Amino acid sequence: MKQGFTNITTEILTLFKTCLKSYGVVAFAPHPIPSTLLMLATFYHPMAGAMGILGNLISNLTARWLHPIGAVRDSGIFGVNGILVGLALAKYGDPTGNIWILLILGAGMTGMVAVALAGYFAKYDLPVLSIPFTATVWLLLLIPGTASLNDSALSSILYLKQFDLWLFNVLPLTLFEYIKMFGSIFFQENLISGVIVLVSIAIYSRISIIAGLWGGILGMTIYVIIHGSLAGFHGLNYVLIALALGGFFLVSSWRAFLFMSVAIVMVGLVEAGTAPLLKYFDLPILVFPFNLVAIMVLFPLKNIVLGGHSRLVPVPLYLIKSPESNLRWHRRWVLQSTRQKTLLTLPFIGEWSVLQGNNGEWTHKDSGRYAWDFVIRDNAGSQSRGLGSQIEDYFAFGLPVLAPAPGMVYAMENRVIDNPPQTANTEQNWGNYVIIDHQNGEFSEISHLKNGSVTVYPGQYVQRGEVIGYCGNSGRSPVPHIHFQLQNTGKLSADTIPTNFSEGVIEGVPCTHFIPETNVVVSPIESDEETVWTLLGKESEIWVYTVHKSFLKFKESLLFSTDEFGNPAIIGKDNRLWHIVDMPHFIEIKPDFKTYPSLINPSLWIDVVGERLILPKILMDGFKWKDGNVHRVSSSDHLWDIISGNRRVLIDIHRGIVEISLMDNPDKKMSLLKIHHKK
Amino acid sequence: MKQEKKSYVKPTIVRHSVGVTNKYGRPPATVPMSRLNGFDVKELVNEYGSPLYVLSVEQLRQNYQDMFRAFSTRYPGARIAYSYKTNYLKAVCSILHSEGALAEVVSGFEYDIARNLAMPGEKIIFNGPYKTRDELARAFTDGAMVNIDNYDEIQVCEEVADELGRKFPVGVRVNMDLNNPPWHKFGFNVEAGHAYEAVKRIQSGGKLDVKGLHIHVGTYVDDVNIYSMAAQGLVNFYTVIKEQLGIKLKYWDMGGGYASHNTLNWAWQSAEYTCPTFDQYAEAICPILLKGPFQAAEAPRLFLEPGRALVDEPISMITTVVSQKRLPGGKRGVIVDAGMNVLSSVQWYNYNCQTVQDSGLTLEDTILYGGLCMNIDVLRQNAVLPPLRRGELLVIPHIGAYNLSQSWQFIYLRPAVIAIDNGKIHLIKASETREYVQEMESVPKEFNTYSIANKN
């Protein structure tokens, strides 16, 4: 019983939220505050406002009944069409007729059309926009007797009307028309509604408001050029196309703005060309030009790869939250696709010495410069026992070689004979090798292995640290050594790419993200201590954390997910994303955005891990990363207290990170962040 | 100039078999070893007396580094724990600890030595069949790794854990059939199911946590296959207890038993040919262990407990000829001033005796006697040696393991030990004095009437 009641309450709440959001979606500003304001803007004509609400409700109910996917159902796009049906009928319909019945039928119908169209468009990742609304209203208005004879049949609130008239007299006509244009998005062609729409968009997004204002100016100009005057100007199509392409469906950039401007011109042409045709049927043009042009430009952008080099980036619909969040998403994408993605550990066991590092003196030059040769030297610096006349005398010969990161073996060679010392086989330069595809566009190449020693075969998956072969002296190798390089293709002798190793010990000091130089001694981390804690949180888990700020408490949530490349990440508000680098011996949390204090969003989490945070996983007193400035302060059985920079992190070895707090301002109340797992 | 008078040696006819090839094989090298680690042997004896133990620090460090490199480049996190019982001279242990070795101790006494050398508990492995309750309590408190040997010890450990109010990680010593002399005195047998039962018993007790497995395959094991079998046995056993009892190991301990370059009494071939290198041992053990039931990143730590292999070669003994005589059977006998009390490994090794002076090439089978007034004190039954005169010196190399820790004071005082490090001599143990030997003794007055009377 109670369960059922809760379900109904949740359903009603969701419906309410969706209905409210729908108002925002009309002006491409889906956020509660703009949505509320925009709803108020429709009540310039109270009856129109009421009709909008009814249309919204019916259309959304239809979608809830018909559409299978919750996320789409609650996106507000169905409500948009319902609202517009209501508002358009209020404007163009005959109020003396059975307009409410017409509205109920029309809104239901537009809901159905929208569901059908959404299903069809989903394949192309195209938005439904207000196409269902346009079609439905045209159909309704074609029914004899439904269309209103004069344009302004609706009564509006008297004081507002008077105020509007006064403004009309005070303001220059162009400015009046300009502001009115924004109100026309909701078929409220008056100054007050226009101002409310402008304010709402401004609250929602700086990018949107700039796009909208520019779209208005350009649209008016084009209209005047085509028609000679502002007579009969509505302008909603120009504003809508500007808002849609200026940052909402495309990632904003100067190119997107240019593109959007061209689209505005197209809207002007479509409008000018279709208006006479529609006039023949006594139909208003509604948002037809906007819909047509938007679909026309989005379809190719989303579905036809323009030579692979399009700088116009359409945003996948499910990701769209705001132009700013789109921008963040795109910046992240660019950043990640150019950054080394593979987390590498050293491909051997124990202490090895770098014979030749990056830009080495013998072979690591030009396109092959990001490579390493590793050998073993004893304390006296010798690589071999005795004179080293046999390859077996060399310490490195026959030692295991490991996979530096997980992946699939892409290619290997196993048949090249090992050279005697101080000779090189330049016919088969690479000797016996293994190429591992890390399945992120990066490939490890490890070569000069011992004849017949490769233990893996192409297609086999290997784990980090798995033995793939044994060190040898095959190929262009005068002394037994391990050659390692990272490259962007699986081709042998492909160009090397800038590479660092994620963790290791250089000359006795544990380091993260390092590039070993020639002649340094490096080894994988082997702590005497067990690695004891892990970052809790599995994919798609939601963590709720509480921010304590003096006497205030804020609850926010984080989603444990993956980034675009499938690596673990935490996703916070507005597409903010923290990468989680989970290495055998440390965890790094690094943000993919610049830290800035936010007034509206008191998310201390952002401030706390705004800079990258490197936390060792090994319990060892005084353990210190070379570049991480991390050490353990104290520990009880389960709790581990780490200071990293100006942050203090409390780790429960069974639960993961428990608290992160700021150290640098002891005068202020220390702000704590707690994460606890929510079922 | 007065010529030194030579002692009389009864003339004898000796068949010469020196040549490029003959049916007796190549004679032992007779190039005199006048210098040891860069120092004149005679001068060392003049300075520090005879007999004398001489430690080469370079050789000791080299042995450790060779072994560590061999294992640490084949297994992530391999650690060497020096087996104290082979030679617990403080200087020797300190040198190895400075190289990074852990301590493997088998008694409270040895444990105390390690702690006294500032080894933290976490770097001590406590093995052996007999550990007292107090020693266990101390080891647990210090965080040492304790490998349990028998059921009674499980009981004691649990009582100790109860008293200390904490759960302690422990290792379990196991033994298995490895086609070599059985080593069943220690630990729980795997084939008979005792080891499984012991692990189950410890886990179900809830007071201890099995975190390690320990095996020790024997002593002077020069067949690396035995280590491979043991490693495979550990992997198999770990797989079983991991699957059935949910055990997650922190370490496994392959024990010691690695051979040194000393030929055994009963060996057919010289140790020069039979003693495996550290790389061969590592190659026999590490790849098998790495195939254990775990991801590469979670490999348990590997401990090795060498003693003999590290410390045997770096120490030599210099001894002086006391007398040479002809035995009734016609064989030559030579008596030296070091006895089996300071060379206990005589029961194992065919010592390689090196002359220091040029004594000619008249090689002859010789019985080498120690200096004790005991008929059994024979250092070698058959040593091929040139004629030796009283006062001449012999060097017996590779005697670092066990001889010092097992030496006993008997008839003579025990000799000094010197360490030679980069051309510098350090006296690391002075020769004993009568006062030192009798320090702990006391004579009740009632027994003492004779000496009191005579002193007055």
Side-chain angles (χ1 to χ4, degrees):
Chain A
M1 233 350 229
K2 202 180 175 188
Q3 189 64 39
F5 178 73
T6 320
N7 279 349
I8 290 167
T9 321
T10 322
E11 277 288 302
I12 291 174
L13 204 68
T14 318
L15 184 64
F16 173 76
K17 277 185 186 165
T18 311
C19 286
L20 187 66
K21 191 178 175 187
S22 300
Y23 280 95
V25 178
V26 175
F28 298 106
H31 186 272
I33 298 168
S35 296
T36 316
L37 288 172
L38 290 169
M39 187 173 75
L40 291 177
T42 62
F43 277 85
Y44 182 83
H45 301 106
M47 187 181 158
M51 285 175 80
I53 287 182
L54 183 65
N56 187 359
L57 191 68
I58 291 167
S59 187
N60 267 322
L61 279 172
T62 316
R64 295 193 78 73
W65 172 44
L66 290 175
H67 203 283
I69 302 167
V72 180
R73 226 159 43 200
D74 301 333
S75 67
I77 190 61
F78 304 104
V80 168
N81 285 285
I83 293 167
L84 292 177
V85 168
L87 295 173
L89 278 184
K91 182 167 175 180
Y92 299 108
D94 181 4
T96 56
N98 289 325
I99 195 158
W100 289 98
I101 295 170
L102 203 65
L103 170 62
I104 292 168
L105 293 174
M109 185 172 149
T110 203
M112 287 188 201
V113 174
V115 169
L117 201 63
Y120 182 68
F121 273 8
K123 182 172 154 189
Y124 306 101
D125 199 38
L126 286 174
V128 170
L129 301 175
S130 39
I131 297 169
F133 145 72
T134 314
T136 313
V137 171
W138 276 349
L139 188 80
L140 294 179
L141 292 180
L142 282 172
I143 301 168
T146 51
S148 163
L149 297 176
N150 54 343
D151 209 26
S152 51
L154 280 178
S155 61
S156 52
I157 296 166
L158 191 63
Y159 299 113
L160 290 181
K161 181 96 177 171
Q162 282 171 349
F163 181 60
D164 213 35
L165 274 174
W166 176 76
L167 280 174
F168 180 70
N169 293 326
V170 173
L171 291 176
L173 178 70
T174 323
L175 185 62
F176 185 82
E177 284 288 336
Y178 183 74
I179 297 173
K180 202 185 77 178
M181 169 167 56
F182 291 91
S184 71
I185 295 175
F186 288 89
F187 300 103
Q188 303 296 311
E189 297 184 341
N190 63 75
L191 206 77
I192 294 167
S193 298
V195 169
I196 295 177
V197 171
L198 275 173
V199 170
S200 308
I201 297 172
I203 289 174
Y204 172 64
S205 155
R206 275 164 291 181
I207 295 172
S208 285
I209 191 68
I210 292 166
L213 290 172
W214 165 243
I217 292 169
L218 189 64
M220 272 175 98
T221 317
I222 287 162
Y223 190 90
V224 172
I225 291 170
I226 294 173
H227 298 272
S229 74
L230 279 172
F233 178 71
H234 295 302
L236 73 166
N237 283 293
Y238 302 108
V239 175
L240 286 173
I241 197 86
L243 291 174
L245 301 182
F248 196 81
F249 291 120
L250 300 181
V251 173
S252 69
S253 64
W254 64 267
R255 280 191 185 81
F257 261 63
L258 208 64
F259 186 74
M260 174 256 277
S261 305
V262 174
I264 290 171
V265 177
M266 283 163 69
V267 166
L269 292 175
V270 172
E271 191 185 41
T274 46
L277 189 68
L278 290 170
K279 199 148 191 150
Y280 182 76
F281 298 103
D282 266 343
L283 288 178
I285 193 149
L286 300 177
V287 286
F288 173 69
F290 154 65
N291 282 329
L292 183 74
V293 173
I295 295 299
M296 255 165 51
V297 300
L298 284 178
F299 180 80
L301 277 179
K302 280 186 178 264
N303 296 288
I304 302 167
V305 181
L306 299 172
H309 289 289
S310 173
R311 302 275 177 87
L312 288 169
V313 184
V315 187
L317 288 186
Y318 76 97
L319 277 177
I320 296 174
K321 290 199 176 71
S322 72
E324 279 78 7
S325 111
N326 291 345
L327 203 58
R328 217 172 277 136
W329 164 78
H330 181 245
R331 209 177 285 156
R332 190 165 81 220
W333 175 270
V334 172
L335 205 66
Q336 283 175 32
S337 51
T338 52
R339 180 165 58 192
Q340 179 186 336
K341 289 173 273 295
T342 317
L343 305 170
L344 297 169
T345 39
L346 295 162
F348 45 73
I349 306 173
E351 287 192 343
W352 290 62
S353 164
V354 181
L355 182 67
Q356 193 185 187
N358 285 183
N359 297 305
E361 54 176 313
W362 301 295
T363 48
H364 298 170
K365 291 169 187 288
D366 307 322
S367 63
R369 65 186 177 278
Y370 303 112
W372 287 271
D373 288 336
F374 297 102
V375 295
I376 286 190
R377 291 188 171 119
D378 65 9
N379 285 15
S382 168
Q383 294 180 41
S384 63
R385 296 169 201 89
L387 296 171
S389 53
Q390 305 287 315
I391 45 174
E392 290 81 6
D393 293 345
Y394 285 80
F395 300 129
F397 188 76
L399 291 184
V401 177
L402 314 180
M408 188 193 80
V409 177
Y410 181 83
M412 62 85 117
E413 171 62 66
N414 207 5
R415 292 164 299 181
V416 183
I417 303 297
D418 290 300
N419 315 316
Q422 308 306 336
T423 58
N425 171 0
T426 47
E427 307 253 309
Q428 294 146 306
N429 237 337
W430 302 93
N432 301 308
Y433 62 85
V434 173
I435 295 175
I436 301 171
D437 179 357
H438 299 301
Q439 312 206 314
N440 53 12
E442 291 174 351
F443 297 76
S444 283
E445 197 264 8
I446 299 160
S447 42
H448 311 309
L449 301 172
K450 187 176 162 185
N451 173 262
S453 76
V454 177
T455 56
V456 292
Y457 49 88
Q460 181 185 343
Y461 279 84
V462 289
Q463 297 295 321
R464 179 190 303 287
E466 200 174 315
V467 176
I468 55 170
Y470 292 85
C471 179
N473 199 37
S474 58
R476 188 168 177 175
S477 174
V479 288
H481 73 280
I482 302 174
H483 174 99
F484 175 79
Q485 65 182 51
L486 197 66
Q487 48 195 45
N488 269 334
T489 71
K491 226 177 119 258
L492 196 60
S493 77
D495 290 2
T496 58
I497 55 175
T499 310
N500 66 47
F501 290 96
S502 287
E503 63 167 48
V505 180
I506 299 184
E507 302 284 350
V509 184
C511 294
T512 64
H513 314 291
F514 63 96
I515 300 172
E517 285 167 14
T518 305
N519 288 331
V520 301
V521 175
V522 289
S523 64
I525 293 178
E526 287 168 10
S527 164
D528 272 333
E529 305 294 325
E530 222 180 347
T531 60
V532 281
W533 70 279
T534 47
L535 193 73
L536 230 87
K538 294 187 183 81
E539 198 179 327
S540 77
E541 270 184 359
I542 295 173
W543 282 15
V544 175
Y545 63 93
T546 316
V547 181
H548 301 257
K549 205 170 188 181
S550 55
F551 58 92
L552 292 173
K553 275 187 183 178
F554 304 95
K555 271 202 170 172
E556 288 182 359
S557 61
L558 298 167
L559 175 67
F560 257 85
S561 184
T562 52
D563 64 16
E564 283 76 9
F565 295 94
N567 298 318
I570 303 172
I571 297 178
K573 253 190 148 140
D574 286 347
N575 241 335
R576 285 194 180 83
L577 185 138
W578 294 266
H579 294 285
I580 303 169
V581 178
D582 192 356
M583 293 297 293
H585 294 96
F586 73 90
I587 283 178
E588 183 183 3
I589 301 172
K590 55 179 177 185
D592 238 341
F593 51 88
K594 261 192 140 172
T595 313
Y596 56 89
S598 162
L599 289 174
I600 302 170
N601 173 14
S603 170
L604 198 67
W605 171 256
I606 291 169
D607 296 332
V608 170
V609 294
E611 290 156 38
R612 71 178 198 179
L613 189 65
I614 296 175
L615 302 167
K617 277 184 186 175
I618 12 186
L619 277 175
M620 214 168 135
D621 224 342
F623 192 85
K624 195 173 172 182
W625 296 104
K626 194 180 185 184
D627 48 359
N629 188 27
V630 177
H631 60 277
R632 169 184 168 208
V633 212
S634 62
S635 80
S636 66
D637 270 358
H638 303 304
L639 285 178
W640 194 22
D641 207 348
I642 300 173
I643 292 182
S644 167
N646 64 344
R647 294 172 187 90
R648 186 170 159 213
V649 184
L650 202 61
I651 292 169
D652 182 323
I653 59 173
H654 298 311
R655 290 167 56 209
I657 300 175
V658 181
E659 270 180 31
I660 302 180
S661 55
L662 290 170
M663 298 274 299
D664 52 356
N665 234 334
D667 301 341
K668 280 187 180 177
K669 266 248 191 259
M670 187 165 288
S671 310
L672 294 176
L673 176 135
K674 281 185 182 170
I675 297 174
H676 54 85
H677 184 215
K678 188 189 175 189
K679 266 187 190 171
Chain B
M1 196 175 158
K2 197 186 163 192
Q3 205 172 2
E4 200 184 326
K5 194 183 174 188
K6 289 181 176 172
S7 56
Y8 173 75
V9 181
K10 194 179 170 189
T12 179
I13 298 167
V14 178
R15 184 181 150 180
H16 276 227
S17 59
V18 181
V20 182
T21 50
N22 61 60
K23 64 179 178 181
Y24 306 106
R26 191 171 151 265
T30 47
V31 181
M33 187 185 196
S34 59
R35 297 182 83 77
L36 186 60
N37 301 317
F39 284 88
D40 189 277
V41 178
K42 275 182 199 159
E43 279 174 20
L44 290 177
V45 170
N46 289 342
E47 178 78 27
Y48 296 98
S50 173
L52 179 66
Y53 292 108
V54 182
L55 165 69
S56 161
V57 178
E58 284 107 326
Q59 176 78 58
L60 184 60
R61 289 187 191 276
Q62 189 66 49
N63 279 3
Y64 177 85
Q65 287 162 9
D66 284 350
M67 181 166 195
F68 182 69
R69 188 177 50 242
F71 281 91
S72 71
T73 53
R74 287 180 172 89
Y75 190 96
R79 292 281 183 275
I80 291 173
Y82 171 55
S83 170
Y84 264 38
K85 65 175 176 283
T86 50
N87 188 333
Y88 38 64
L89 276 183
K90 286 201 285 185
V92 170
C93 298
S94 298
I95 291 166
L96 288 169
H97 292 326
S98 75
E99 287 289 330
L102 279 64
E104 190 255 336
V105 302
V106 291
S107 71
F109 165 65
E110 288 187 359
Y111 188 89
D112 215 25
I113 296 177
R115 294 291 284 138
N116 185 247
L117 292 174
M119 286 302 275
E122 303 96 66
K123 291 196 171 179
I124 302 177
I125 301 176
F126 196 5
N127 290 333
Y130 171 46
K131 315 180 187 85
T132 67
R133 190 195 194 89
D134 290 345
E135 287 162 9
L136 284 168
R138 187 180 177 197
F140 279 140
T141 317
D142 291 348
M145 285 161 277
V146 176
N147 290 324
I148 295 183
D149 182 81
N150 51 56
Y151 273 111
D152 294 299
E153 202 162 88
I154 297 177
Q155 187 68 32
V156 178
C157 286
E158 286 188 338
E159 284 166 21
V160 170
D162 244 2
E163 279 165 26
L164 296 173
R166 256 163 57 202
K167 199 170 178 177
F168 291 100
V170 290
V172 174
R173 170 83 175 252
V174 299
N175 64 57
M176 54 185 84
D177 179 23
L178 298 167
N179 286 352
N180 70 330
W183 218 255
H184 293 168
K185 173 181 171 186
F186 306 96
F188 304 91
N189 186 264
V190 171
E191 289 91 353
H194 299 162
Y196 181 86
E197 286 305 318
V199 174
K200 202 170 162 185
R201 160 74 185 77
I202 293 171
Q203 287 307 102
S204 60
K207 289 165 186 170
L208 304 168
D209 207 359
V210 176
K211 285 286 173 197
L213 286 180
H214 177 214
I215 192 168
H216 184 102
V217 299
T219 189
Y220 201 106
V221 179
D222 54 6
D223 179 0
V224 297
N225 291 323
I226 288 170
Y227 284 94
S228 296
M229 286 163 67
Q232 190 59 56
L234 277 195
V235 168
N236 296 348
F237 184 60
Y238 181 24
T239 310
V240 170
I241 58 173
K242 189 182 181 185
E243 278 172 12
Q244 298 185 8
L245 303 173
I247 302 289
K248 197 176 170 220
L249 289 188
K250 246 175 103 171
Y251 67 88
W252 39 25
D253 186 337
M254 281 301 294
Y258 312 98
S260 71
H261 286 86
N262 248 320
T263 310
L264 295 174
N265 274 334
W266 52 88
W268 191 246
Q269 272 186 305
S270 159
E272 222 175 295
Y273 306 109
T274 57
C275 177
T277 62
F278 290 127
D279 286 280
Q280 285 168 321
Y281 281 119
E283 201 56 51
I285 293 170
C286 299
I288 293 173
L289 289 183
L290 275 182
K291 286 186 188 134
F294 46 81
Q295 299 267 312
E298 297 168 342
R301 189 157 292 283
L302 168 63
F303 290 119
L304 304 145
E305 297 169 349
R308 186 196 306 278
L310 292 183
V311 85
D312 218 4
E313 284 150 43
I315 301 184
S316 310
M317 166 155 274
I318 307 174
T319 179
T320 311
V321 174
V322 175
S323 169
Q324 176 175 237
K325 59 168 74 169
R326 188 59 61 183
L327 301 175
K331 208 170 179 180
R332 188 167 63 188
V334 167
I335 304 169
V336 294
D337 64 355
M340 64 192 298
N341 64 322
V342 290
L343 282 172
S344 66
S345 59
V346 63
Q347 47 187 321
W348 282 80
Y349 294 147
N350 263 342
Y351 290 132
N352 175 21
C353 305
Q354 294 271 356
T355 54
V356 172
Q357 312 74 17
D358 189 356
S359 307
L361 283 172
T362 324
L363 300 177
E364 199 181 335
D365 269 356
T366 309
I367 300 186
L368 196 65
Y369 292 111
L372 297 180
C373 185
M374 302 271 290
N375 193 38
I376 55 161
D377 189 15
V378 180
L379 298 184
R380 273 200 70 168
Q381 287 289 356
N382 273 306
V384 183
L385 288 170
L388 293 165
R389 289 167 223 286
R390 184 182 170 89
E392 288 189 347
L393 300 175
L394 279 178
V395 172
I396 305 176
H398 308 343
I399 49 88
Y402 295 104
N403 289 317
L404 278 141
S405 48
Q406 289 182 353
S407 69
W408 69 95
Q409 189 278 315
F410 177 56
I411 302 181
Y412 302 107
L413 295 168
R414 281 179 290 186
V417 186
I418 59 169
I420 299 181
D421 185 17
N422 280 322
K424 248 178 102 179
I425 301 175
H426 306 273
L427 179 67
I428 58 174
K429 189 186 178 197
S431 57
E432 285 175 344
T433 59
R434 191 208 28 91
E435 289 79 12
Y436 166 76
V437 171
Q438 294 184 324
E439 191 185 333
M440 308 304 272
E441 296 184 27
S442 56
V443 184
K445 264 188 191 145
E446 293 87 331
F447 303 169
N448 215 4
T449 48
Y450 173 77
S451 40
I452 290 172
N454 281 284
K455 259 188 187 163
N456 295 338

